[in-house]
């Protein structure tokens, strides 16, 4: 599920869980383990990317429907751990968005310090409210840190998905390149940020992000309520309707509507 390699001190973490790299407890645990390895190896920076048609499409909604509360309880601690670790990694983190980056999958990209996307018609965004589920607190604070105020509320409430060019105009990603140039562009950004003295980079990053991290840590009660909603029959019914609209043969609207 995870392929981890190193290129001259730069870690490359590739998510490989077809078909859309959906996040479940097992994949999230794999990401957490890879972050441990990256730190143990004293990597100077890391590039995070996906495989196939997706960077990651977020939570595994099919498993949520099939398993209900059991899926939520299994995935919840790993999701909070991975979002926190990605957001607070002291080294430069680069997202190389190779395809769809949706919901929690896009949160992973937003947790990084620099985001470069391949050109194409893949979709980028945060449709959680349209799906019918709330944001975990770490995810919400990562979004709040990264998305500019003029776009933040409208983006969350509408759940609308953007293509890479539109996402760049909104400041959600930093660069769009040809698909064949994606990894080289991501590695170039990683090397540029890695050239900053590590202690200077780590201290500055921590100072920028700590107020958001502190708010996430203080939101445990809100997270408990959010997880009850995720596991509720009402949420499962909303997820079922979302899947029927976006994946069913007789859908009535585009996934990015």
């Amino acid at each position: 599920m995870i392929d981890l390699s190193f290129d001259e001190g730069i870690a490359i973490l590739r998510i490989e869980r077809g078909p859309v790299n959906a996040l479940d407890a097992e994949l999230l645990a794999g990401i957490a383990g890879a972050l441990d390895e990256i730190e143990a190896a004293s990597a100077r920076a890391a590039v995070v990317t996906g495989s196939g048609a997706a960077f990651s499409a977020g939570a595994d909604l099919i498993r949520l429907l099939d398993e209900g509360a059991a899926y939520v309880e299994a995935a919840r601690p790993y999701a909070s751990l991975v979002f926190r670790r990605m957001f607070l990694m002291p080294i430069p983190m680069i997202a190389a968005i190779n395809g769809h980056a949706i919901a929690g999958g896009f949160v992973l990209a937003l947790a990084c310090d620099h985001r470069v996307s391949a050109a194409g018609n893949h979709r980028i965004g945060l449709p959680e409210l349209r799906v019918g589920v709330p944001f975990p607190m770490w995810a919400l604070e990562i979004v709040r840190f990264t998305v500019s105020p003029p776009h933040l509320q409208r983006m969350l409430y509408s759940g609308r998905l953007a293509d890479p060019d539109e996402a760049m105009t909104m400041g959600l990603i930093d660069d769009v390149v040809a698909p064949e140039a994606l990894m080289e562009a991501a590695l170039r950004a990683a090397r540029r940020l890695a050239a900053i003295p590590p202690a200077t980079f780590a201290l500055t990053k921590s100072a920028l992000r700590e107020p958001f991290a502190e708010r996430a840590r203080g939101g445990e009660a809100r997270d408990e309520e959010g997880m009850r909603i995720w596991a509720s029959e009402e949420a499962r019914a909303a997820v079922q309707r979302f899947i029927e609209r976006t994946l069913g043969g007789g859908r009535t609207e585009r996934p990015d509507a």
Side-chain angles (χ1 to χ4, degrees), residues 161-177:
L161 304 182
D163 63 29
D165 289 329
E166 184 181 5
M168 189 167 72
T169 66
M170 296 169 65
L172 302 177
I173 57 178
D174 299 292
D175 200 8
V176 177
V177 300

Side-chain angles (χ1 to χ4, degrees), residues 137-138 141 210-224:
M137 283 302 298
W138 274 101
E141 290 304 325
E210 183 55 35
F212 297 85
E214 183 177 354
R215 190 156 45 206
R217 294 187 194 103
E220 289 184 1
R222 190 172 288 114
D223 248 358
E224 289 292 337

Side-chain angles (χ1 to χ4, degrees), residues 135-206:
F135 287 84
M137 283 302 298
W138 274 101
L140 187 60
E141 290 304 325
I142 289 168
V143 173
R144 194 201 304 261
F145 172 79
T146 312
V147 180
S148 64
H151 297 295
L152 179 60
Q153 182 170 285
R154 182 170 68 251
M155 181 180 179
L156 296 185
Y157 287 177
S158 73
R160 186 177 177 275
L161 304 182
D163 63 29
D165 289 329
E166 184 181 5
M168 189 167 72
T169 66
M170 296 169 65
L172 302 177
I173 57 178
D174 299 292
D175 200 8
V176 177
V177 300
E180 62 272 16
L182 177 64
M183 286 308 298
E184 182 50 45
L187 287 166
R188 187 165 55 247
R191 295 186 189 107
R192 175 174 53 81
L193 291 179
I196 300 170
T200 297
F201 182 88
L203 183 63
T204 302
K205 181 173 179 175
S206 175

Side-chain angles (χ1 to χ4, degrees), residues 11 13 20 44 57-58 67 71 74 124 129 151 171 181 190 199 211 218 237 241 252:
L13 190 167
V20 293
R44 297 184 296 119
E67 301 173 27
Y71 170 83
I124 294 170
L129 270 62
H151 297 295
R241 290 193 296 272
T252 58

